[in-house]
Amino acid sequence: METVVGVERNDEGKFEESGFEKSSSSLSSPKLGADPVVYKLVRIEGDGRFVPATDDEIMEVGNLLADDKIEMHLVADTGQTGGCISSERTSSGIPQLENSEGLSQSDNTEVDAGKSNVHLEENDPSSAPSMNESHINQSGSVGECSNPPNELVEATFGRETTVKDKQWLKRRITMGLTNSCDVSTSSFVIKDNKLVNKDKEENRNNLGSDSAKAPAVRTVNDNCKDSPINCSDQIENHQIASGERLRNSSIDDDFGAEDLNTEERAAKRVRKPTRRYIEELSEVESKEHSGKSIASTKNAGLRQISIKSNVRPFKMARMDSFGGSGVEVPYVCRVRRSRPRKNVMALMGFHPIGMGVAATLVKKAIVVHNTQPNNESGDEALKARSAPEQIQQPVTAEPEKDKQLSAVDSIEQGQNVEPKHIDPSGDTSDENVVTVPTGKGGIRRKHHRAWTLSEVMKLVEGVSRYGAGRWSEIKRLAFASYSYRTSVDLKDKWRNLLKASLAQTPQDKKINSRKHASAMPIPAAILLRVRELAEMQSQVSPNLSSGKPVASTLLLRSAFTQSRL
DNA sequence: GTTAGGG
DNA sequence: CCCTAAC
């Protein structure tokens, strides 16, 4: 594939943004400032080397420039997109001439600040070149990011373009523009005089004394800034990274889009796909594409992520000593940190014998390790909680912890041993077991601690007092004695309560009637209260939420004492 | 370090 | 309950 690209350079060979002048035949002779810049047309071969453009090519471009001024106007708009995206390198491997910052900062071009007013007018001699140049500029940068402009570039500035193609192209361009980067004329900074002033002021602010030298192209870029949402949204479809960059850069000094953005975010906290999600996705993808070459240029970015994260788990055996005896413990090392227990346990399942031994031995070890277990210190609890994560860390994991953990896992998995004394956080008033072997071999989580009614009560009360969302507050004040409940736990529990309360109300209380012997039936009164609170909090603005415990708390209390077993 | 949300 | 992203 070969592409014809315009490359501008001054005498030193340094890339500059500038006027337009072709080396061999001058298409137009912009009377720019004192700094003469040569604009060269070159073709870039597949291997990335420059080849001087033939006269034909040059003529081609020239015709285009001459014929389609209006098109060029539009093209300039596309150019903004290019400017906005501005990747570091062109798709063909040449270093990008300028990125948007470069453009805005380049002070080599003498452009009268006032000129920017007329910059976009069709007949302005200086406008055409600079716009064209911005287009060309874009030809590199956009290549990676969005497809339609890419087509445009290849067709238009490739040398094998038929007239017919061009016409089609025009339509494409126009349509693409209206769709992709909606720069409505009304919001055109340039044409509207007031806005122009504003714009100029902005330039001045941003560039300081350099404002007078602000290159014309910057004006073009500013257009994009005025509708960054449209731009960025479009772009994000193609490449998130670029979109992000654009968004960041354009938000900074943008005035119009501020509220739009906040509005957009106010709705809900936006989360980008989690690593797990990506990984899982990549797993699937990699299965599908296992044989194919990975390096197809499109989607290269995404694909790369896939590749990186697509690290296969591998097993290895490790000699570990539990309570003095050496036991070979299968070990899973995944780069990705995620629920390890399942993996480990699954593996364990394949080595029942070894596991058995390990389990028993480990049991000992654990007992030893937990000689001082009965303190309620939150630290202990937290340590115990977070400990399992270490098991998946490669060999570097601290052996002690590791031991302990694998041990716990084995026990869990194993023969229903129920070492209550393992309970890391000691026990509070009414205690339940750490591992609850549910009838058919299912195992409750190690750290699982069923919510007692009293806890639920406290939670509800806390929420009513401090408001949902102030989890740390609630934890600190209402759950001071329950060290094993983290604020996250509170939050989760509240979420569940909410769900329960909402699910329950429509169909009266089947919950109570049903025999949930194991699961603590939450008294309807509490659920009711939960719903009440939820409603309140959703309606009342958060600043009022710090209000009163409300009388119903008392009712709740009585309800609780009654329903207590 | 906290909070929100998905798993 | 865990994990992770957003704040």
Side-chain angles (χ1 to χ4, degrees):
Chain A
M1 157 195 161
E2 44 187 27
T3 318
V4 175
V5 193
V7 176
E8 13 169 17
R9 37 191 293 258
N10 62 8
D11 290 339
E12 288 97 77
K14 182 184 162 195
F15 291 133
E16 305 262 316
E17 98 105 353
S18 65
F20 184 94
E21 194 173 337
K22 194 173 50 58
S23 54
S24 36
S25 74
S26 79
L27 299 169
S28 66
S29 49
K31 35 179 173 56
L32 287 178
D35 210 343
V37 185
V38 179
Y39 200 89
K40 243 181 189 165
L41 274 179
V42 296
R43 182 173 69 238
I44 301 185
E45 295 287 1
D47 54 2
R49 89 199 134 88
F50 290 79
V51 175
T54 66
D55 278 23
D56 284 345
E57 290 163 348
I58 288 159
M59 287 311 291
E60 189 84 23
V61 177
N63 289 337
L64 267 177
L65 289 179
D67 289 344
D68 305 324
K69 294 232 169 107
I70 295 183
E71 249 46 54
M72 283 174 13
H73 184 126
L74 293 172
V75 162
D77 293 345
T78 346
Q80 308 164 10
T81 314
C84 289
I85 303 175
S86 85
S87 46
E88 272 76 331
R89 319 185 62 217
T90 66
S91 54
S92 44
I94 353 162
Q96 176 61 24
L97 299 184
E98 302 274 346
N99 56 23
S100 52
E101 285 154 17
L103 287 177
S104 57
Q105 281 164 5
S106 156
D107 53 2
N108 287 300
T109 314
E110 296 278 344
V111 177
D112 190 346
K115 231 173 191 169
S116 61
N117 287 336
V118 290
H119 171 63
L120 287 182
E121 292 186 11
E122 295 170 6
N123 286 331
D124 181 12
S126 70
S127 71
S130 46
M131 280 193 281
N132 172 64
E133 135 199 318
S134 76
H135 175 205
I136 288 175
N137 208 352
Q138 160 226 340
S139 68
S141 53
V142 155
E144 292 184 348
C145 305
S146 67
N147 289 330
N150 200 19
E151 284 174 10
L152 161 71
V153 169
E154 285 183 15
T156 309
F157 287 86
R159 48 181 186 158
E160 304 183 2
T161 307
T162 69
V163 180
K164 212 176 180 182
D165 279 343
K166 267 187 271 180
Q167 305 249 335
W168 171 81
L169 247 178
K170 284 179 198 170
R171 278 200 298 274
R172 274 295 281 216
I173 294 170
T174 337
M175 281 167 53
L177 278 173
T178 25
N179 287 337
S180 70
C181 197
D182 183 13
V183 191
S184 65
T185 36
S186 63
S187 69
F188 238 34
V189 196
I190 310 306
K191 290 210 169 182
D192 184 307
N193 272 332
K194 288 179 188 172
L195 287 182
V196 164
N197 286 336
K198 226 172 181 179
D199 181 48
K200 277 199 288 185
E201 273 180 22
E202 277 230 348
N203 276 344
R204 209 163 285 136
N205 288 339
N206 293 336
L207 300 180
S209 55
D210 276 354
S211 65
K213 297 181 179 179
V217 177
R218 168 166 174 84
T219 323
V220 176
N221 283 333
D222 282 346
N223 289 335
C224 188
K225 277 191 188 171
D226 277 346
S227 53
I229 301 298
N230 295 322
C231 286
S232 62
D233 280 349
Q234 169 72 16
I235 289 165
E236 275 180 7
N237 285 339
H238 295 286
Q239 209 187 41
I240 295 176
S242 299
E244 199 67 15
R245 212 183 315 164
L246 165 61
R247 169 166 288 170
N248 288 339
S249 67
S250 56
I251 280 181
D252 284 343
D253 45 0
D254 177 61
F255 43 95
E258 185 72 31
D259 40 4
L260 283 177
N261 266 293
T262 48
E263 203 175 342
E264 176 188 9
R265 302 202 168 193
K268 202 178 179 183
R269 202 183 259 188
V270 191
R271 311 182 82 235
K272 62 183 183 186
T274 67
R275 208 191 310 172
R276 203 188 304 174
Y277 175 77
I278 294 179
E279 282 166 12
E280 275 161 13
L281 205 68
S282 73
E283 292 251 336
V284 176
E285 200 170 293
S286 68
K287 270 175 200 161
E288 287 170 1
H289 298 293
S290 54
K292 297 173 185 174
S293 85
I294 323 152
S296 75
T297 36
K298 69 172 184 178
N299 286 342
L302 289 176
R303 194 70 49 80
Q304 280 208 339
I305 293 176
S306 313
I307 296 169
K308 253 187 214 161
S309 55
N310 182 23
V311 184
R312 295 284 172 183
F314 60 93
K315 311 176 196 171
M316 62 187 207
R318 195 185 47 164
M319 286 303 276
D320 250 349
S321 66
F322 290 115
S325 351
V327 177
E328 198 177 57
V329 180
Y331 190 75
V332 167
C333 175
R334 278 194 95 141
V335 167
R336 152 186 162 189
R337 321 174 341 109
S338 73
R339 338 223 143 159
R341 264 176 256 148
K342 282 179 195 164
N343 291 334
V344 172
M345 292 191 316
L347 266 172
M348 290 295 225
F350 288 112
H351 304 267
I353 298 172
M355 182 212 66
V357 180
T360 43
L361 289 174
V362 147
K363 196 170 159 190
K364 268 191 214 163
I366 279 196
V367 173
V368 174
H369 271 296
N370 287 278
T371 40
Q372 72 289 48
N374 274 344
N375 61 4
E376 281 257 277
S377 122
D379 273 352
E380 284 298 312
L382 285 182
K383 255 181 215 160
R385 158 188 307 272
S386 65
E389 292 185 7
Q390 308 198 20
I391 197 173
Q392 65 230 305
Q393 284 171 1
V395 201
T396 65
E398 185 192 353
E400 285 283 304
K401 279 268 166 54
D402 238 12
K403 246 187 268 173
Q404 190 173 344
L405 291 167
S406 342
V408 173
D409 279 329
S410 347
I411 287 180
E412 240 185 334
Q413 138 86 26
Q415 34 281 131
N416 279 353
V417 252
E418 242 179 65
K420 303 197 178 180
H421 43 285
I422 284 188
D423 187 0
S425 56
D427 41 11
T428 352
S429 49
D430 28 14
E431 217 12 85
N432 358 37
V433 198
V434 200
T435 41
V436 183
T438 65
K440 33 187 167 175
I443 344 105
R444 275 265 201 284
R445 288 206 191 74
K446 176 171 44 191
H447 295 304
H448 181 71
R449 201 171 198 130
W451 277 74
T452 66
L453 213 48
S454 61
E455 283 176 309
V456 173
M457 296 267 322
K458 282 215 153 122
L459 174 59
V460 172
E461 191 178 323
V463 169
S464 77
R465 220 175 270 193
Y466 312 107
R470 321 275 293 250
W471 304 119
S472 60
E473 292 260 299
I474 297 176
K475 188 218 172 343
R476 227 189 9 255
L477 300 174
F479 274 74
S481 45
Y482 303 87
S483 55
Y484 48 85
R485 298 287 184 215
T486 69
S487 54
V488 175
D489 293 329
L490 303 191
K491 184 258 305 178
D492 285 342
K493 184 55 181 176
W494 180 255
R495 186 169 50 176
N496 291 337
L497 282 177
L498 223 58
K499 220 190 304 177
S501 74
L502 291 179
Q504 182 240 7
T505 36
Q507 296 264 347
D508 241 1
K509 29 226 109 209
K510 279 189 179 174
I511 291 193
N512 279 339
S513 63
R514 212 179 275 172
K515 286 271 179 179
H516 276 311
S518 54
M520 169 90 62
I522 295 171
I526 293 184
L527 289 182
L528 211 81
R529 173 94 177 106
V530 168
R531 197 169 43 120
E532 221 173 273
L533 281 172
E535 226 166 89
M536 270 173 49
Q537 311 242 347
S538 65
Q539 290 174 3
V540 176
S541 65
N543 55 16
L544 286 177
S545 66
S546 60
K548 45 291 145 180
V550 191
S552 53
T553 306
L554 294 178
L555 291 178
L556 190 63
R557 195 155 301 198
S558 66
F560 165 61
T561 44
Q562 279 168 16
S563 68
R564 196 175 199 168
L565 309 177

